């Protein structure tokens, strides 16, 4: 499993009802269902991902996240997870509202634009960073709302959302979860666990 | 099996008839004292009887879903693209049951059958059937075949409504359900199209109020018009455009009303063929079953409440260019299932072919549907997919 998914896996309580936004091939949901008795749905727009989910017995809905979560009622589940999708949304802020409407808690992972390599790239080359976690050129990237670890913490503060837990990691599969001291600088991927209200 | 059939065909199939002597109470208040159901099966029922898949047919469908009745038959069953060895509904793995619904005109008891009360053809007095009635009759067939629980109930269009109905009427007898290109209820526009089709048939002088058989007549013109209007709703604007465009049959305009455009020729041909192979009373009855289907109606319009008995995971599939039962109708069903807390998966398959897409080969559709069916089989056989 991807390193960020492994950390998230550990954060999910047993028997939770969850929603995984941008669930890909359903790896996380399938593992959670098998070992933690978790139930829920994945949302995905890639047909190969949807087919893979169905093969794993994961409930998956073809749904564009930019269309919102209107088909889910308030508190439809316990936890909403969104990995590597925040930066591609038209309105990440309203999606955060939506996520905390359908569940009291959510976990969000996204590439930290303030990662030191990105900073060096921009500072010394004067061009938009291209890296493992941000592999696209500026003109064809789906990542239209890049943000930093601190930016997201600020958004939560402004919205009155409580940060329960936060972590950073590298985008590779080493599962190297350090950089507690300077997450905004050394974290390649930012992961937040937030709760509705103060 | 003859070597002349494709290797992924179920080959030669022989329809069978099951006769039921105990009465079937119908939604309309009437009772069928006895009835026949014509059906076909493909594949083998396993020892535990856990690998049965029920195929529910659409408006003009029937029991012949796959394979060939004779070596000379030029076209296989109506869903042959999806049923066969190695296909999405893999007959090497599943025991597939496909029947002709009551009121049909392909061998099951219907308007052309003899009414035991009168000794005369039922004709227009054959009871108006509902989707719920069909599902009850299908459950009788399942009993007869020793199937306590279907591994999956599958249907497209009107067949999808039957699949949906199964989960509400017999939740304990359905392990999985696939509802394809369907809708939880017809829109006013859908009913309007059906009504035009019915009026076309009923206003044909050869209809004789449904007693055309007594007059050795067939309301061909009405059936033809009904099929022509129906057919328009099965195709997308794009598929009609790319197939026929504004092509003319001859090089020039004739300033008359004979067939000039290719699309006119096509529709007339479709209508003509249909008018000789389909029964008018059956067509009327099937369109009524479509119009009446509305499970939410008995729950103050709350579809989630109607679906509350359902106990199996749903697969809901729509097609991007289907405007007869548009993707939004499938999403209504999905939303209701979510509200009801049911397990559901949904995909809107990219296809240019409109409503008919559910019958046609399509890589994305096959990948998704195939993946779902393989997982069902893995569950039955205890394998990991």
């Amino acid at each position: 499993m991807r390193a960020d998914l492994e950390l998230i896996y550990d954060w999910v309580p047993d028997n939770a009802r969850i929603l995984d936004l941008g669930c890909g091939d359903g790896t996380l949901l399938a593992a959670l269902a098998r070992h933690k008795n978790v139930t829920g749905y994945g949302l995905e727009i890639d047909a190969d991902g949807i087919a893979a989910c169905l093969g794993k017995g994961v409930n998956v809905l073809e749904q564009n996240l930019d269309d919102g979560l209107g088909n889910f009622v308030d508190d439809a589940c316990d936890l909403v997870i969104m990995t590597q999708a925040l930066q591609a949304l038209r309105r990440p802020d309203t999606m955060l509202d939506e996520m905390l409407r359908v569940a009291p808690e959510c976990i969000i992972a996204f590439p930290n634009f303030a990662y030191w390599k990105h900073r060096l790239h921009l500072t010394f080359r004067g061009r938009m960073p291209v890296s493992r976690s941000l592999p696209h050129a500026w003109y064809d990237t789906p990542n239209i709302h890049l943000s930093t670890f601190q930016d997201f913490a600020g958004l939560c503060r402004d919205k009155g959302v409580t940060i329960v837990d936060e972590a950073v990691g590298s985008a590779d599969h080493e599962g190297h979860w350090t950089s507690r001291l300077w997450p905004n600088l050394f974290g390649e991927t930012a992961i937040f666990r937030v709760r509705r209200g103060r | 099996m003859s070597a002349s059939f494709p290797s992924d065909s179920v080959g030669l199939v022989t329809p069978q008839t099951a006769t039921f002597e105990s009465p079937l109470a119908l939604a309309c208040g009437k009772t069928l004292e006895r009835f026949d159901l014509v059906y076909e099966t493909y594949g083998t029922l396993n020892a535990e009887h856990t690998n049965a898949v029920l195929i529910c047919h659409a408006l003009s469908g029937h029991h012949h879903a796959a394979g060939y009745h004779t070596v000379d038959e030029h076209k296989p069953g109506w869903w042959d693209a999806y049923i066969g060895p190695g296909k999405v509904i893999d007959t090497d793995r599943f025991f597939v049951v496909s029947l002709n619904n009551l009121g049909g005109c392909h061998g099951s008891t219907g308007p052309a059958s003899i009414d035991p009360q009168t000794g005369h053809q039922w004709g227009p007095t054959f009871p108006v059937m509902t989707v719920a009635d069909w599902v009850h009759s299908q459950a009788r067939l399942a009993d007869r075949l020793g199937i306590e629980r279907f591994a999956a109930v599958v249907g497209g269009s009107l067949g999808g409504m039957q699949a949906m109905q199964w989960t509400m009427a017999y939740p304990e007898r359905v392990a999985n359900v696939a509802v394809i290109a369907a809708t939880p209820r017809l829109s006013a526009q859908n009913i309007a199209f059906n009504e035009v089709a019915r009026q076309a048939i009923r206003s044909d002088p050869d209809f004789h109020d449904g007693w055309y058989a007594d007059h050795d007549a067939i309301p061909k013109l009405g059936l033809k018009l009904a099929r022509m209007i129906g057919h328009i709703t099965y195709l997308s604007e794009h598929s009609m455009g790319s197939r026929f465009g504004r092509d003319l049959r001859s090089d020039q305009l004739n300033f008359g009303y004979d067939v000039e455009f290719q699309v006119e020729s096509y529709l007339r041909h479709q209508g003509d063929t249909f008018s000789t192979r389909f029964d008018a009373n059956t067509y009327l009855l099937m369109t009524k079953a479509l119009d009446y289907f509305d499970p939410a109606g008995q729950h103050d319009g709350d579809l989630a409440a109607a679906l509350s008995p359902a106990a199996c995971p749903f697969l809901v599939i729509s097609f991007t260019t289907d405007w007869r039962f548009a993707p939004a109708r499938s999403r209504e069903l999905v939303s209701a299932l979510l509200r009801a807390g049911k397990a559901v998966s949904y995909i809107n398959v990219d296809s240019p072919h409109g409503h008919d897409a559910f019958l046609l080969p399509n890589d994305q559709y096959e990948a998704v549907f195939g993946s779902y069916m393989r997982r069902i089989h893995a569950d039955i056989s205890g394998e990991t997919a």
Side-chain angles (χ1 to χ4, degrees):
Chain A
M1 213 172 355
R2 235 167 51 205
D4 54 342
L5 297 187
E6 266 177 30
L7 183 80
I8 292 168
Y9 176 91
D10 291 337
W11 280 356
V12 178
D14 287 356
N15 308 312
R17 297 168 304 150
I18 74 170
L19 193 57
D20 186 355
L21 309 182
C23 65
D25 64 4
T27 301
L28 178 66
L29 277 169
L32 287 168
R34 191 175 308 124
H35 303 297
K36 292 194 166 191
N37 195 35
V38 160
T39 54
Y41 309 91
L43 267 50
E44 184 51 62
I45 48 172
D46 176 60
D48 292 337
I50 291 170
C53 286
L54 290 172
K56 293 184 175 82
V58 167
N59 296 318
V60 59
L61 307 173
E62 178 176 341
Q63 189 164 326
N64 190 330
L65 300 183
D66 279 326
D67 295 338
L69 304 175
N71 48 343
F72 292 91
V73 297
D74 297 358
D75 286 310
C77 50
D78 303 317
L79 179 67
V80 182
I81 296 169
M82 183 167 68
T83 58
Q84 306 302 328
L86 183 80
Q87 73 282 0
L89 297 175
R90 218 175 293 145
R91 285 295 298 269
D93 57 335
T94 52
M95 179 49 95
L96 183 61
D97 296 338
E98 270 290 83
M99 291 168 76
L100 289 174
R101 175 183 65 78
V102 301
E105 205 170 284
C106 65
I107 296 172
I108 298 175
F110 59 91
N112 173 28
F113 197 65
Y115 181 50
W116 65 273
K117 282 190 184 173
H118 297 155
R119 298 190 191 198
L120 284 182
H121 197 114
L122 190 58
T123 305
F124 292 107
R125 300 179 70 178
R127 302 180 61 176
M128 284 299 281
V130 175
S131 68
R132 288 180 306 185
S133 57
L134 297 171
H136 301 278
W138 65 272
Y139 46 82
D140 66 357
T141 180
N143 303 324
I144 54 174
H145 281 121
L146 291 163
S147 66
T148 71
F149 190 89
Q150 283 183 0
D151 281 335
F152 189 80
L155 177 66
C156 292
R157 221 167 27 242
D158 295 347
K159 283 189 174 292
V161 168
T162 304
I163 297 172
V164 180
D165 222 335
E166 57 191 38
V168 292
S170 57
D172 61 23
H173 296 244
E174 291 160 12
H176 182 62
W177 303 106
T178 53
S179 320
R180 277 274 172 192
L181 213 47
W182 297 290
N184 200 44
L185 184 58
F186 290 109
E188 192 170 5
T189 301
I191 308 178
F192 284 84
R193 181 174 172 188
V194 301
R195 185 180 297 149
R196 192 189 293 157
R198 302 256 182 218
Chain B
M1 194 192 299
S2 164
S4 62
F5 298 124
S7 62
D8 61 352
S9 166
V10 297
L12 268 187
V13 291
T14 309
Q16 300 169 74
T17 302
T19 299
F20 300 87
E21 300 288 355
S22 51
L24 181 71
L26 304 171
C28 64
K30 294 180 187 165
T31 300
L32 273 183
E33 295 304 326
R34 62 172 305 285
F35 60 95
D36 291 341
L37 290 176
V38 169
Y39 67 98
E40 291 179 0
T41 68
Y42 324 110
T44 311
L45 189 61
N46 64 13
E48 301 80 22
H49 293 200
T50 54
N51 69 333
V53 173
L54 178 68
I55 308 294
C56 303
H57 72 71
L59 177 57
S60 58
H62 42 68
H63 54 286
H64 187 32
Y68 300 83
H69 281 165
T70 66
V71 288
D72 305 321
E73 197 173 34
H74 66 288
K75 256 173 74 179
W78 58 268
W79 219 14
D80 196 85
Y82 287 86
I83 303 170
K87 291 181 183 172
V88 166
I89 301 169
D90 188 346
T91 52
D92 287 339
R93 296 173 172 190
F94 293 110
F95 176 65
V96 180
V97 180
S98 173
L99 77 157
N100 182 213
N101 280 327
L102 282 174
C105 54
H106 293 86
S108 292
T109 299
S113 309
I114 301 297
D115 178 355
Q117 301 274 316
T118 63
H120 196 79
Q121 266 198 2
W122 288 93
T125 65
F126 192 83
V128 171
M129 305 295 298
T130 65
V131 168
D133 294 333
W134 283 333
V135 167
H136 290 312
S137 71
Q138 291 162 3
R140 295 272 190 95
L141 180 62
D143 294 341
R144 181 70 56 88
L145 296 173
I147 299 161
E148 180 55 39
R149 187 169 186 244
F150 283 105
V153 176
V154 176
S157 192
L158 176 57
M161 296 174 175
Q162 293 156 57
M164 229 180 285
Q165 181 66 28
W166 262 95
T167 69
M168 296 179 274
Y170 298 100
E172 70 290 350
R173 301 191 70 173
V174 191
N176 294 277
V177 67
V179 178
I180 304 169
T183 173
R185 64 170 164 201
L186 262 61
S187 66
Q189 187 190 45
N190 292 144
I191 296 172
F193 274 113
N194 281 346
E195 176 58 6
V196 174
R198 283 190 292 264
Q199 286 305 318
I201 291 170
R202 299 183 62 83
S203 59
D204 185 328
D206 279 332
F207 182 65
H208 298 286
D209 288 328
W211 297 108
Y212 43 88
D214 291 348
H215 295 80
D216 272 332
I218 299 174
K220 274 193 205 164
L221 199 60
L223 269 167
K224 173 180 173 175
L225 288 173
R227 182 61 166 180
M228 285 170 77
I229 189 121
H231 210 90
I232 295 169
T233 69
Y234 303 151
L235 305 181
S236 68
E237 185 177 5
H238 175 87
S239 61
M240 226 182 228
S242 63
R243 195 156 161 193
F244 308 108
R246 293 180 50 84
D247 294 354
L248 297 171
R249 291 188 77 197
S250 60
D251 294 341
Q252 57 190 25
L253 297 175
N254 294 321
F255 297 94
Y257 297 102
D258 282 341
V259 169
E260 291 189 278
F261 292 96
Q262 288 291 4
V263 66
E264 295 174 311
S265 165
Y266 171 78
L267 278 182
R268 288 188 194 196
H269 173 73
Q270 289 292 327
D272 281 332
T273 316
F274 190 74
S275 69
T276 55
R277 72 172 173 85
F278 210 85
D279 179 69
N281 284 322
T282 289
Y283 198 87
L284 294 174
L285 177 155
M286 296 273 176
T287 59
K288 272 290 174 189
L290 272 167
D291 291 0
Y292 284 176
F293 184 70
D294 181 16
Q298 292 151 357
H299 297 266
D300 293 328
D302 185 349
L303 185 58
L307 287 160
S308 66
C312 69
F314 280 67
L315 174 63
V316 179
I317 299 177
S318 62
F319 297 90
T320 49
T321 54
D322 184 351
W323 59 278
R324 179 180 172 87
F325 298 153
R329 301 286 84 74
S330 286
R331 289 195 193 104
E332 278 172 27
L333 172 62
V334 171
S335 294
L337 288 164
L338 290 174
R339 281 201 306 282
K342 306 297 178 187
V344 54
S345 292
Y346 166 68
I347 184 165
N348 186 27
V349 172
D350 200 12
S351 165
H353 296 295
H355 188 60
D356 261 357
F358 85 90
L359 298 164
L360 303 172
N362 175 311
D363 287 344
Q364 195 185 12
Y365 179 27
E366 287 167 39
V368 169
F369 192 10
S371 186
Y372 184 73
M373 294 306 295
R374 279 191 298 279
R375 199 269 306 159
I376 292 172
H377 183 259
D379 283 353
I380 294 167
S381 49
E383 298 162 11
T384 43

